Amino acid sequence: QGSKQLLNNYPVYITSKQWDEAVNSSKKDGRRLLRYLIRFVFTTDELKYSCGLGKRKRSVQSGETGPERRPLDPVKVTCLREFIRMHCTSNPDWWMPSEEQINKVFSDAVGHARQGRAVGTFLHNGNSYYEGTDHPGTQDEVFNRGMQDGSGD
């Protein structure tokens, strides 16, 4: 009912109204579009209780890993990644984010959900941090996939 399927082979839907909001607010930036879509596709709880993309090892030492921390639904994640690439490819005036930037948008969304803020609210404040270049040091987080996440007990 008025739902837009993002990609044919994925069961991921948003409403036409959400799509319009996302596109109109994204200013032709694939990262902004992804932020909106994450907010529409995942519930705050899904984000909050996940371990993001499951790539970071950090949480193992901090002792706060409960069994409830699961990576975000890989079907939705893959769908959003593919969708952003496809959208930016078919609309060349859109900014196409890199793999690292895409990962960062996901982990930011998780961090914001955990802090109890709506995922979308940070579009208006702290722009300088989110816009701009990749931050040094994210590189190895992307490649060290934390496979032993929470499996120690």
Side-chain angles (χ1 to χ4, degrees), residues 46-56 59 68-72 110 114 149:
E46 270 182 289
L47 291 165
K48 194 161 51 182
Y49 297 117
S50 78
C51 56
L53 301 173
K55 295 188 174 187
R56 297 191 175 182
S59 52
E68 80 283 0
R69 287 244 199 267
R70 291 263 170 283
L72 292 170
V110 170
R114 283 185 196 153
D149 225 329

Side-chain angles (χ1 to χ4, degrees), residues 16 35 43 61 91 121 124:
S16 309
R35 267 177 226 148
T43 65
Q61 289 86 10
N91 301 280
T121 54
H124 310 293

Side-chain angles (χ1 to χ4, degrees), residues 68-83:
E68 80 283 0
R69 287 244 199 267
R70 291 263 170 283
L72 292 170
D73 181 339
V75 174
K76 291 181 181 177
V77 170
T78 308
C79 174
L80 289 179
R81 272 183 208 282
E82 299 288 311
F83 180 79

